[in-house]
């Protein structure tokens, strides 16, 4: 009898959880589409004023950058690593609050409130922790085939490199050199229009060898270019073919393919595809001086708008 009651309780909890998740997603989708409509009907934020007043990065002035030290926690996500390197989240990458992360992602990269709720909540679910009160270390995100996946644009597969906290210089260079887009449009008020020669990190930085490799590999490449959706589709296709050939444990289901295309699409949206900014962001996991999100919508980048770019990238990939 006790076993029957226990089983019924578990079934009931599972059913309620499924119903709640379904209702949550429907509500989030409707909210997201309403934010999309607000963005369509309102003026863009002014260049130089994308980051909210009083938040880290206001006016393009980011908190001091410091590469990770021994014992610090980092993960396969450059965006979160950059936030830790600038002290926007704990510099050691440990004991990060899911709830606080939501608001900080929004102010740093100008994603919409819906996006910033969905992603940390999804991470919490993958890790089996409560979103409202849960905390995590950045390296927790690298449980294989949770958020982290094979055929990443700038990380070797875990079968080749177990620790996913650092970018791979050869992969970063290959991505940068895949850019075929025209130089970004110049705007009088845009202080980021003219790319500057990237300064190498200090020799004691864990990014030093990554940066040295990228600098050498791209020495004759014009950084005043932009990545296009076609560029990312082509490069993702190459990575999937390479990983399938080199990794005997290769796996990439549809969900993780979409993760890969989503990660790539942030380079087109948040960074506007600008190689001069992406170079610094991926090589040192640092936000360039004077940088702000290229998304200027009042309510931030909604999931509806973002997924249009994601599907465009994914549908353009040729894996065979």
């Amino acid at each position: 009898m006790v076993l029957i009651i226990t089983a019924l309780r578990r079934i009931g909890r599972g059913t309620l959880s499924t119903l709640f998740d379904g209702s949550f997603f429907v509500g989030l989708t409707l909210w997201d589409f309403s934010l999309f409509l607000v963005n369509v009907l309102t003026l863009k934020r002014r260049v130089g004023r994308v980051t909210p007043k009083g938040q880290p990065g206001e006016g393009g002035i980011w908190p001091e950058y410091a590469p990770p030290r021994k014992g610090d926690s980092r993960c396969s996500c450059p965006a979160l690593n950059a936030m830790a390197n600038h002290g926007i989240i704990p510099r050691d990458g440990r004991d990060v609050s899911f709830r606080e992360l939501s608001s900080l992602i929004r102010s740093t990269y100008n994603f919409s409130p819906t996006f910033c709720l969905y992603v940390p909540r999804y991470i919490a679910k993958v890790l089996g922790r409560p979103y409202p009160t849960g905390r995590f270390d950045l390296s927790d995100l690298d449980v294989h085939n949770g958020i982290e996946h094979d055929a990443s644009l700038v990380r070797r597969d875990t079968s080749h490199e177990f620790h996913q906290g650092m970018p791979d210089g050869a992969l970063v260079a290959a991505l940068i050199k895949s850019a075929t887009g025209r130089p970004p449009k110049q705007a009088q008020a845009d202080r980021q229009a003219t790319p500057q020669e990237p300064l190498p990190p200090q020799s004691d930085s864990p990014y030093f060898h990554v940066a040295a490799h990228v600098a050498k590999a791209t020495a004759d490449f014009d950084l005043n270019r932009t990545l296009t959706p076609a560029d990312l589709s082509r490069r993702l296709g190459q990575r999937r073919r390479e990983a399938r050939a080199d990794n005997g444990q290769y796996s990439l289901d549809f969900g993780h393919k979409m993760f890969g295309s989503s990660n790539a699409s942030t380079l087109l949206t948040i960074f506007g595809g600008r190689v001069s900014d992406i170079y610094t962001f991926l090589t040192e996991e640092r936000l360039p001086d004077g940088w702000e999100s290229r998304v200027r919508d009042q309510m931030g980048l909604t999931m509806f708008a973002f997924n249009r770019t994601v599907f465009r990238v994914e549908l353009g990939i040729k894996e065979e």
Side-chain angles (χ1 to χ4, degrees):
M1 187 56 133
V2 174
L3 293 176
I4 294 175
I5 294 175
T6 301
L8 290 174
R9 284 177 177 174
R10 290 179 178 176
I11 292 171
R13 289 171 183 170
T15 301
L16 288 174
S17 177
T18 300
L19 290 173
F20 176 80
D21 286 345
S23 300
F24 172 83
F25 185 75
V26 171
L28 190 72
T29 300
L30 293 174
W31 181 22
D32 186 77
F33 188 69
S34 70
L35 296 179
F36 169 78
L37 293 178
V38 171
N39 285 337
V40 171
L41 298 172
T42 55
L43 297 174
K44 303 284 187 183
R45 298 184 187 183
R46 292 176 58 184
V47 172
R49 296 188 180 180
V50 174
T51 304
K53 188 174 182 179
Q55 296 297 320
E58 179 188 357
I61 302 174
W62 295 97
E64 181 182 2
Y65 168 84
R69 299 174 298 181
K70 185 177 181 180
D72 287 353
S73 183
R74 293 295 186 268
C75 65
S76 53
C77 177
L80 295 182
N81 289 347
M83 292 175 70
N85 289 341
H86 283 282
I88 300 170
I89 59 176
R91 286 191 180 274
D92 62 2
R94 300 189 181 279
D95 200 34
V96 182
S97 162
F98 290 112
R99 184 182 289 275
E100 291 174 4
L101 181 65
S102 292
S103 62
L104 292 171
I105 290 176
R106 173 154 169 68
S107 62
T108 302
Y109 298 111
N110 198 25
F111 281 107
S112 68
T114 45
F115 192 106
C116 295
L117 173 61
Y118 175 77
V119 173
R121 187 177 181 274
Y122 180 84
I123 293 172
K125 186 175 182 180
V126 168
L127 297 179
R129 300 173 191 177
Y131 168 78
T133 59
R135 309 181 83 87
F136 67 101
D137 295 347
L138 290 183
S139 59
D140 293 343
L141 304 184
D142 288 341
V143 55
H144 186 51
N145 282 337
I147 301 297
E148 183 275 334
H149 55 83
D150 287 336
S152 164
L153 278 177
V154 295
R155 258 74 173 175
R156 296 289 177 187
D157 293 353
T158 54
S159 62
H160 300 303
E161 180 56 62
F162 180 77
H163 298 288
Q164 292 286 299
M166 294 297 296
D168 181 90
L171 293 180
V172 173
L175 173 61
I176 290 171
K177 293 175 69 174
S178 71
T180 64
R182 295 179 179 179
K185 293 181 179 179
Q186 306 294 309
Q188 185 176 0
D190 188 353
R191 294 169 296 171
Q192 311 160 60
T194 303
Q196 298 179 353
E197 190 69 23
L199 297 175
Q202 298 294 322
S203 59
D204 60 347
S205 167
Y207 297 104
F208 177 78
H209 294 292
V210 177
H213 186 106
V214 175
K216 182 177 180 180
T218 61
D220 297 328
F221 185 79
D222 181 10
L223 296 181
N224 194 28
R225 294 190 185 185
T226 56
L227 280 167
T228 68
D231 294 335
L232 289 178
S233 296
R234 184 173 61 258
R235 184 60 192 144
L236 281 167
Q238 291 171 347
R239 282 293 297 130
R240 292 178 187 180
R241 294 192 296 271
E242 293 166 358
R244 187 185 296 112
D246 297 340
N247 180 1
Q249 303 173 24
Y250 174 77
S251 65
L252 197 70
D253 60 20
F254 176 75
H256 289 102
K257 288 180 179 180
M258 294 304 294
F259 266 129
S261 291
S262 296
N263 294 335
S265 294
T266 60
L267 302 178
L268 299 175
T269 51
I270 302 302
F271 285 88
R274 298 191 178 198
V275 170
S276 56
D277 290 340
I278 292 169
Y279 182 108
T280 301
F281 175 66
L282 294 181
T283 302
E284 301 178 58
E285 297 185 325
R286 174 169 65 86
L287 299 176
D289 296 336
W291 181 85
E292 65 181 6
S293 175
R294 299 291 174 178
V295 175
R296 293 168 48 213
D297 293 327
Q298 290 291 341
M299 304 310 300
L301 180 62
T302 63
M303 295 188 295
F304 182 82
F306 184 58
N307 283 333
R308 292 188 301 175
T309 302
V310 174
F311 278 103
R312 183 179 178 186
V313 170
E314 179 61 33
L315 292 174
I317 295 174
K318 297 179 181 179
E319 296 188 40
E320 303 300 330

